[in-house]
Amino acid sequence: MLLGLRWSDVDLHEGVLTVRQALQRVGGELLIVAPKAQRSARRVALPAECVTALRAQRAQQVADRKAAGANWKGTGQGLVFTTKNGTPIEPHNLNRSFETLCARAGVRKVRFHDLRHTCASLLHEQGADPRMIMEVLGHSSIRVTMDICTFVRLDSQRSAFDRVGDALRGDSSGPDDDDGAAGVPVSV
């Protein structure tokens, strides 16, 4: 999806991008293809950091085009991410560059595609509604999103269980939703 993104699909003023196509290697040839599923074509709100990065990318691409001059090989598709001479980025090269960046940063090796899972997990940890996460990722069902793409970190589990412990001890500062007395032992 990312490598097939066109500038015409990005609204930096509104902070929104529209997924309409992807770039894939098919039969030895780089092709622009429709998203895998109808649900994959979608609008996605962009965080401010992404808008800032896309503005920097646009400025870099303008500089690359100017530096390349007559050697600019842009295809006229208006892709957001291209090589220095304007050609589409080979997906394998993106993956290899990402692996190098991970190694340099001391981050465990993950596939570039796994960043979708990271995004889903972070959104989930921040309390995002599962349906919203499903829409962002373009999944066909919430089950796919929640079963495959969310991972709860141990510190988040610990924090949740600490809150359960607080509630069981009656240390909770929030309103009591049940009809019993919080923290009062009851014979059963």
Side-chain angles (χ1 to χ4, degrees), residues 10 14-15 42 49 75 102 108 110 122 137-138 151 183:
V10 178
E14 293 293 325
R42 63 201 182 277
E49 294 82 3
T75 60
C102 286
R108 72 180 171 88
V110 294
L122 291 172
L137 297 178
F151 172 80

Side-chain angles (χ1 to χ4, degrees), residues 5 8 12 28 40 54 61 67 72 75-76 108 114 137 151 156 171:
L5 186 64
S8 60
L12 294 175
S40 296
L54 284 167
Q61 194 176 61
W72 181 259
T75 60
R108 72 180 171 88
D114 293 336
L137 297 178
F151 172 80
S156 294
D171 296 344

Side-chain angles (χ1 to χ4, degrees), residues 11-31:
D11 183 338
L12 294 175
H13 179 70
E14 293 293 325
V16 174
L17 68 79
T18 304
V19 177
R20 292 192 174 107
Q21 63 183 32
L23 179 74
Q24 291 181 355
R25 180 156 292 286
V26 180
E29 187 178 355
L30 277 180
L31 298 175

